[in-house]
Amino acid sequence: MMKALVLLGPGKPDTLQIAELPLPEPGPGEIRVRIHAAGLNPVDYKVAANGHPDWVYPFVPGVDGAGIVDAVGDGVTEWKPGDRAAYHGSFTKPGTFAEYAVTTAHTAARIPEELTFEEAAAFPCAGLTAYQALRRKMNLQEGQSVLIHAGAGGVGGYAIQLAKVFGASKILATASPANFDYVRGLGADEVIDYNTEDVHARVMELTDGLGVGLILNSVNRKTAQADLSMLAFGGQLAVIAGAPENVADFQPSTKTFSVHKLMLGGAHGSGNLRAERDLAVMAGEFMELLRTRRIQAMVTETLALEDVPAALTRMSERHVRGKMVVKF
């Protein structure tokens, strides 16, 4: 048996409760990981609110985990018991808010000895989303300018650091005043108060009227629509929480641009083995940046499993910065 945090049905974070469940068994192509740390993410409470057709209750949420492989399924040759693994799991499968969890072997990545389990559990969902947006989709080049919304959050914080590493010429970010120093500390050159400032006016002022080359939006459709008018000629917009509703008819027609819609976890079950394997590839590349301390894991809170419901509630109210991690 194992200790786990479970949902007995769709609900808010405060409906989560501790339970004892049988250990999950890895099937063909899967590994079982003894979880040492698990990361908290918005998807944990967003999907829980309405549940998912594939869920069987009691259901264990949690998509990010790090720990030690303790069992492998048939056909698995790349992993053995004792290996250190980190992964971003499918939200349709039982997750990482438990002492043991199962995931597909080809989507997990090895944790370098220099990293703690907490560091490895903090980054997958948010960090790989930022990495996929800037590296895989928009292919940020040295000398380009970038605007990152919600700079104090997980995706935003990692994106700021990655933009710095990739050589962005100017990094703009939005945040509340209480997080200005924190966001600047991550590498932002300019921080804009999205509550009181005209974001469009400030962006155009800070870019001499040209607009920014790249924008990463993790907020909503409304701000994504406004982002189109802040792009430089040939600019790119990557969205996580909703694409602009008016793209085809956006004017002026002389402002050419590209829009990328991201859903990192969509790779799971897509039937695209290359996309699934790329989760492990990106995680390996990201952990190398962590290992060499070119970026930081941004772990701001370490929690006990019992603390997760309250922490997810705070996250849903946007009262957190950086990353919160459960330590087993």
Side-chain angles (χ1 to χ4, degrees), residues 62-65 87-93 96 102-104 107 124 265 268 279:
V63 293
D64 288 350
Y87 66 93
H88 174 65
S90 171
F91 65 79
T92 67
K93 306 292 185 182
T96 57
V102 167
T103 191
T104 43
T107 58
H268 290 289
L279 292 173

Side-chain angles (χ1 to χ4, degrees), residues 228-247:
L228 295 179
S229 63
M230 294 186 281
L231 286 172
F233 181 85
Q236 300 182 75
L237 167 65
V239 296
I240 301 165
E245 294 184 352
N246 179 13
V247 174

Side-chain angles (χ1 to χ4, degrees), residues 16-279:
L16 286 160
Q17 56 187 271
I18 301 293
E20 291 284 328
L21 298 178
L23 265 63
E25 294 297 331
E30 295 180 331
I31 57 175
R32 184 173 69 197
V33 179
R34 181 180 179 184
I35 301 296
H36 283 239
L40 277 65
N41 296 283
V43 69
D44 299 325
Y45 66 81
K46 289 181 178 179
V47 180
N50 297 308
H52 190 278
D54 292 341
W55 288 4
V56 175
Y57 297 97
F59 183 79
V60 180
V63 293
D64 288 350
I68 297 176
V69 176
D70 89 313
V72 300
D74 291 343
V76 175
T77 59
E78 66 268 39
W79 294 98
K80 65 182 185 302
D83 288 342
R84 288 158 45 94
Y87 66 93
H88 174 65
S90 171
F91 65 79
T92 67
K93 306 292 185 182
T96 57
F97 294 161
E99 292 176 320
Y100 292 84
V102 167
T103 191
T104 43
H106 62 279
T107 58
R110 280 176 171 75
I111 304 173
E113 290 298 325
E114 295 90 340
L115 295 186
T116 66
F117 289 116
E118 291 80 17
E119 290 173 317
F123 82 86
C125 186
L128 296 187
T129 295
Y131 191 87
Q132 186 180 61
L134 295 181
R135 197 47 129 193
R136 292 287 196 273
K137 298 295 185 181
M138 297 191 289
N139 193 24
L140 172 61
Q141 299 295 304
E142 187 173 346
Q144 288 184 298
S145 58
V146 59
L147 167 64
I148 297 163
H149 287 281
V155 174
Y158 285 128
I160 290 170
Q161 295 184 80
L162 289 169
K164 197 78 170 180
V165 169
F166 297 153
S169 60
K170 181 172 288 187
I171 303 171
L172 312 181
T174 64
S176 60
N179 289 319
F180 274 20
D181 289 343
Y182 174 75
V183 172
R184 289 193 183 101
L186 294 173
D189 297 306
E190 301 285 349
V191 189
I192 303 168
D193 182 353
Y194 62 89
N195 287 309
T196 62
E197 294 188 79
D198 182 328
V199 177
H200 178 276
R202 285 287 288 143
V203 168
M204 301 311 288
E205 175 190 351
L206 293 167
T207 58
D208 298 323
L210 296 177
V212 286
L214 283 66
I215 300 178
L216 176 54
N217 188 307
S218 58
V219 184
N220 54 39
R221 288 183 182 276
K222 182 179 179 181
T223 56
Q225 185 68 49
D227 285 339
L228 295 179
S229 63
M230 294 186 281
L231 286 172
F233 181 85
Q236 300 182 75
L237 167 65
V239 296
I240 301 165
E245 294 184 352
N246 179 13
V247 174
D249 297 326
F250 179 77
Q251 298 294 329
S253 58
T254 53
K255 181 175 279 194
T256 177
F257 60 87
S258 302
V259 177
H260 307 272
K261 189 174 185 298
L262 277 72
M263 185 176 289
L264 181 75
H268 290 289
S270 66
N272 187 326
L273 188 60
R274 181 176 180 179
E276 293 177 20
R277 290 186 182 279
D278 198 40
L279 292 173

Side-chain angles (χ1 to χ4, degrees), residues 293-309:
R293 305 303 171 186
R294 300 181 72 189
I295 60 175
Q296 57 177 290
M298 303 192 310
V299 178
T300 53
E301 294 184 55
T302 302
L303 313 166
L305 191 60
E306 292 80 0
D307 299 328
V308 170

